[in-house]
Amino acid sequence: MNLFSKIRNSGLPYFITSALLVLVVALGVVLTHQTGSMLTSLIQNRMLDISKTAADMLDGDTLSKLTKDDSESEGYRQSMRTLTYFQDNIDLKYIYCIRETQDGRFVFSIDPTVKDPGVFGEPVVKTEALVKAAGGVSAVDTKPYNDSWGSFYSAYSPVFTSKGEVGGIVAVDFSADWYDRQVMSLRITVVFFGAVSLLIGGISAVMLTRRNRRRYRILYGQLNQLAVRVDELMQEVENVGEISPNERKPLAETAVPKNGEEIDALGAKILSMQNALREHIELAHRQAYLDSMTGVGNKTAYLNALKLMEDPIREKKIEFAVAIFDMNGLKSINDSHGHECGDAAIIDAAGLLKKLFGTENLYRIGGDEFIAVLKLSDEILLQELFRDFDTELEALNQTERPYGVPLSISKGFAVFDAESDPDYNTVFRRADMAMYADKKAYYTTHRDRRRKYPFETEES
């Protein structure tokens, strides 16, 4: 009896087969847990960032005093404009304000939803996260709830009055249906391939003495199928993390191994899947914060950066400046030359901004609006950077560009003053006012490319 026959008859191959099957099932369970946790974390963090930012921009004194008859008041309209901005510029279905009544109930106060909005005073479903927000702590639902609009998870952030009391609560909803579908898809995949693997393993164990190599080839083929299916699931994850298809490394199907190499090939295949899927998860997390067109931070990254700055600003242990940039005449380029040329103009603008202010400091928060959060407080240096930017922009406009008109960008900045600035939004508003002053000056001298802005009363 040769060595291979001794190993085969000893039962060792059965143990190896069983161990491999357990490894495949365990890998599927681990990947399911990791992917589900990543999806949940991405969505919950995004919701909390949005609700906190919106809450910081609202006036708690105004919200605490609103009644159902105040819909025409300036405070109500300003709060409605703020919520509408978030609803229009961030892919949200519902964002609204809640207030707590004296008897402990929670009701709608402001809802910018156009179709079927919540009516002032209409009851809101009470959840643990909502109760925490009423106590002054932002929170997000870990379980979905149902109301007349559907099934949702919600994030809640308190809006404080000048006395430090909770004057209202900002709520951000997302549908529970999508998340439940992804979780179900993952579970079905694991159960299906676990059952298939166990079935094949059982059959292979019975036929092992005669079909050793054939059994390993079947297992290898099934592992290839698992890789293809997991690759399909990762494509669904791309829709959440905004991963570029060119960056994703597909788990491609590989050839059947040669005789005598089956066990080594199985081990190499499993290791390859582990490494590739780990890269997928890391890439999904990284790309969730990246604007795919320009390569700078996106709105989610910007909100996350602001969150990290909250404590240092409150403790006066930070120096920073905010610079805001907004392109002029982008609509005219899109209308006259098409959106591809408009995208080219946006990419050119981002390239100049990255060169002067650093990719790591730059965020694209709207179609043609960029914000740089800089770790400096020297106004003279900022003015020099702005002059250098004007020089670089003028040089770019000397070259032939596909959009056919000079690229123009309005800009403004403001520096954090620890003695007078209570929060980030105060600095942001000064920078925003400076940018709009620059934009107004531009359109005063460029009437032919004029469009309506907050400081204008008519369109050309």
Side-chain angles (χ1 to χ4, degrees):
M1 181 181 293
N2 58 31
L3 179 61
F4 178 76
S5 298
K6 291 180 180 179
I7 294 175
R8 181 184 61 191
N9 294 332
S10 68
L12 181 61
Y14 295 94
F15 172 78
I16 295 175
T17 299
S18 300
L20 287 173
L21 289 174
V22 171
L23 179 60
V24 170
V25 173
L27 176 62
V29 173
V30 170
L31 291 175
T32 300
H33 176 73
Q34 288 182 340
T35 305
S37 298
M38 181 191 68
L39 289 172
T40 301
S41 177
L42 283 173
I43 295 172
Q44 290 182 348
N45 287 337
R46 179 172 182 267
M47 292 170 62
L48 278 174
D49 289 340
I50 294 170
S51 65
K52 287 182 179 179
T53 303
D56 288 341
M57 298 176 68
L58 293 172
D59 186 344
D61 293 328
T62 299
L63 290 179
S64 65
K65 299 175 183 178
L66 284 179
T67 68
K68 64 180 181 179
D69 298 323
D70 291 336
S71 60
E72 298 301 324
S73 67
E74 178 57 30
Y76 180 91
R77 289 198 297 267
Q78 178 61 39
S79 299
M80 180 67 78
R81 284 194 294 268
T82 299
L83 295 177
T84 301
Y85 173 83
F86 279 87
Q87 194 166 44
D88 292 344
N89 290 275
I90 303 175
D91 188 17
L92 292 177
K93 188 169 185 180
Y94 297 114
I95 180 171
Y96 50 93
C97 286
I98 298 172
R99 67 186 304 171
E100 184 177 10
T101 62
Q102 294 182 350
D103 59 0
R105 295 182 303 111
F106 293 93
V107 296
F108 284 99
S109 60
I110 302 177
D111 186 356
T113 305
V114 176
K115 183 179 180 181
D116 193 19
V119 180
F120 186 95
E122 185 176 354
V124 175
V125 175
K126 186 175 182 180
T127 68
E128 292 183 6
L130 180 53
V131 173
K132 288 183 180 179
V137 180
S138 296
V140 63
D141 291 322
T142 57
K143 296 179 181 179
Y145 65 87
N146 297 305
D147 59 20
S148 58
W149 287 271
S151 180
F152 301 97
Y153 291 88
S154 296
Y156 308 95
S157 291
V159 182
F160 295 100
T161 66
S162 57
K163 296 180 180 179
E165 300 173 347
V166 177
I169 300 169
V170 174
V172 174
D173 298 348
F174 82 97
S175 172
D177 292 341
W178 179 88
Y179 176 72
D180 292 339
R181 286 197 301 270
Q182 306 313 307
V183 173
M184 182 59 66
S185 177
L186 288 170
R187 288 175 178 172
I188 291 175
T189 299
V190 171
V191 171
F192 174 76
F193 281 100
V196 170
S197 298
L198 290 173
L199 178 61
I200 293 176
I203 296 174
S204 299
V206 174
M207 303 177 63
L208 185 62
T209 55
R210 295 178 297 165
R211 302 180 180 180
N212 188 56
R213 290 193 178 96
R214 181 170 177 264
R215 181 198 60 189
Y216 282 116
R217 293 184 183 184
I218 292 174
L219 287 173
Y220 197 79
Q222 291 299 318
L223 199 57
N224 263 326
Q225 292 182 27
L226 178 60
V228 172
R229 178 57 180 149
V230 171
D231 193 46
E232 293 174 354
L233 291 174
M234 293 308 301
Q235 292 181 37
E236 296 182 21
V237 176
E238 291 173 16
N239 296 328
V240 175
E242 298 180 356
I243 302 174
S244 169
N246 295 328
E247 295 181 82
R248 183 172 59 82
K249 296 181 179 180
L251 302 173
E253 186 174 352
T254 55
V256 176
K258 298 179 180 179
N259 290 342
E261 300 177 355
E262 291 85 356
I263 295 178
D264 291 340
L266 278 170
K269 183 66 177 180
I270 292 172
L271 180 61
S272 175
M273 286 181 61
Q274 289 176 324
N275 293 336
L277 286 167
R278 187 180 297 110
E279 291 180 9
H280 275 302
I281 293 171
E282 293 174 355
L283 184 59
H285 185 270
R286 185 170 65 253
Q287 289 294 82
Y289 297 93
L290 185 71
D291 177 57
S292 58
M293 178 188 294
T294 62
V296 303
N298 61 13
K299 183 73 174 184
T300 301
Y302 172 66
L303 295 174
N304 189 58
L306 299 191
K307 180 180 178 182
L308 296 176
M309 293 170 63
E310 290 178 356
D311 289 340
I313 291 175
R314 185 166 50 252
E315 298 168 1
K316 312 298 183 183
K317 295 181 179 180
I318 187 174
E319 293 183 350
F320 71 94
V322 178
I324 301 178
F325 306 87
D326 195 279
M327 298 174 62
N328 299 321
L330 180 62
K331 183 176 185 302
S332 177
I333 293 175
N334 287 332
D335 293 344
S336 302
H337 301 278
H339 284 274
E340 289 187 0
C341 288
D343 290 346
I346 293 173
I347 292 170
D348 281 348
L352 290 179
L353 293 171
K354 288 190 287 187
K355 181 178 180 181
L356 272 297
F357 299 95
T359 303
E360 69 281 4
N361 303 315
L362 196 61
Y363 307 93
R364 182 185 178 204
I365 65 169
D368 58 355
E369 185 176 2
F370 296 85
I371 291 182
V373 182
L374 306 168
K375 298 178 180 178
L376 54 86
S377 59
D378 190 337
E379 290 196 19
I380 296 177
L381 177 57
L382 275 166
Q383 291 170 356
E384 291 179 358
L385 285 172
F386 270 44
R387 285 194 293 271
D388 292 342
F389 177 77
D390 289 337
T391 301
E392 293 286 346
L393 181 59
E394 183 178 354
L396 175 69
N397 284 330
Q398 299 301 316
T399 63
E400 184 176 351
R401 313 308 299 168
Y403 33 89
V405 295
L407 186 63
S408 175
I409 302 174
S410 296
K411 56 193 179 298
F413 74 84
V415 176
F416 173 64
D417 186 341
E419 295 184 358
S420 60
D421 292 330
D423 52 34
Y424 173 87
N425 287 325
T426 305
V427 186
F428 173 88
R429 284 192 289 269
R430 289 205 307 275
D432 198 42
M433 290 174 62
M435 184 276 291
Y436 272 113
D438 188 38
K439 184 175 288 289
K440 182 176 182 179
Y442 170 81
Y443 281 105
T444 300
T445 57
H446 295 75
R447 307 293 295 185
D448 57 322
R449 296 171 64 190
R450 184 178 175 86
R451 67 177 179 179
K452 190 173 182 180
Y453 280 88
F455 48 74
E456 297 173 341
T457 59
E458 61 181 17
E459 287 188 302
S460 58

